[in-house]
Amino acid sequence: SVTNQIITFLKAKKFLLIFDNCEHLIAEVKQLIVEIKTNCPHVHVICTSRDYFEVKGLPDGHRLELRSMETGSWNMPTEELRQFNGVKLFEHHARHVNSRFKLSPGTLPSVSKICSWFDGLPLAIILAASRTDILTVEEIAEQLDRFLPQLESSSANILTVRHRSMRNAIEWSYELLESLEGNTMMNLSAFADDVSVSAITQVRFEDSVPVETRESIISKLQRASLLKPSSPKGGTKRFFLLETIRQYSKEKLIARGDAEVIHKRFCEYYLAFVAEHGAHLLGDRQLEQPEILEEQLATIRMAFGYMYQFN
């Protein structure tokens, strides 16, 4: 078999194997790793995967989560912004398409804003920087909320189709989701900010979906790195979508044809949320209410925006 041939080749060697993009073949990769590690004592393995996994019987394994690049904040002193890796990456690739491009005190805040908007994702930063051949960084920063279609490259050097655009990269992940998981991602695009599990389960699912199934889907989306955890607020764990994924999910939701139904359910939830916490503004719990409402300010504003559309 092919596995036996691999084992025979590796058995007496000192080797490092890298398995890239294992998310669609996790079961097969896990079995192959067990065979290799059992028979080839001097072979080490690195796997990359959207979805993390463990191989039983290999206690020396380690999981390393790759984090987004640091981007700084647009209102920081400009000299500090130069030190962030996301900003350096943007500058490096902008110079590939525009040899006259250079960072300056005037352009640094816009570059930082662009990198932050795309959550420090290297591919998004590289593709955004490639637009500096026809746009200034100020022009890019002004149209970020509709920039997803422009995040693509025509370079023949990019051999993998899914790396030629952010839409292709996100589509690759969507295609690995089951139907209910994909629909949940589309529904989550209505949220402007991070959100609690309670809000997700109440707003994003039909009544026919059991609570246990809803929580399982949230867990799967987190494991798949599509739903990211944020810092707990008030003892409640919260999650958010990366902005590029939210934009893509919103496009899918609109194309599905029932965006208004989801947005109305979203509005009903947050109207009740505001009414509940607003009622305590004059009571014994008045000191904690402004902070709770402020944490959800962006999402509440979005709810009022949806209501304005409906009326």
Side-chain angles (χ1 to χ4, degrees), residues 36-54:
I36 292 173
K37 294 298 291 182
T38 301
N39 295 282
C40 310
H42 301 298
V43 173
H44 298 276
V45 179
I46 293 177
C47 299
T48 71
S49 174
R50 184 198 70 175
D51 194 351
Y52 67 83
F53 60 90
E54 297 177 355

Side-chain angles (χ1 to χ4, degrees), residues 272-291:
F273 177 89
V274 171
E276 175 190 351
H277 292 282
H280 296 296
L281 286 173
L282 300 177
D284 295 338
R285 297 166 54 191
Q286 60 180 283
L287 293 179
E288 64 188 68
Q289 300 312 306
E291 184 176 348

Side-chain angles (χ1 to χ4, degrees), residues 2 11 40 59 62 87 95 120 144 146 149 181-182 200 238 241 266 302 310:
V2 173
K11 202 161 193 176
C40 310
H62 300 279
V87 174
R95 285 182 174 175
L144 287 172
R146 55 185 186 276
E181 296 166 1
I200 295 174
R238 310 178 71 82
L241 291 177
F266 173 92
M302 182 168 281
F310 301 148

Side-chain angles (χ1 to χ4, degrees), residues 115-170:
C115 296
S116 298
W117 178 269
F118 293 123
D119 302 295
L121 295 176
L123 179 59
I125 292 173
I126 291 170
L127 294 175
S130 71
R131 295 295 84 195
T132 56
D133 59 342
I134 58 173
L135 297 172
T136 66
V137 291
E138 291 82 5
E139 289 173 322
I140 295 174
E142 287 174 359
Q143 52 182 304
L144 287 172
D145 59 345
R146 55 185 186 276
F147 206 68
L148 184 61
Q150 300 183 51
L151 287 178
E152 59 181 33
S153 173
S154 58
S155 174
N157 295 326
I158 304 177
L159 302 180
T160 308
V161 173
R162 68 176 179 274
H163 290 150
R164 291 177 185 167
S165 73
M166 277 305 299
R167 182 176 272 112
N168 288 356
I170 300 170

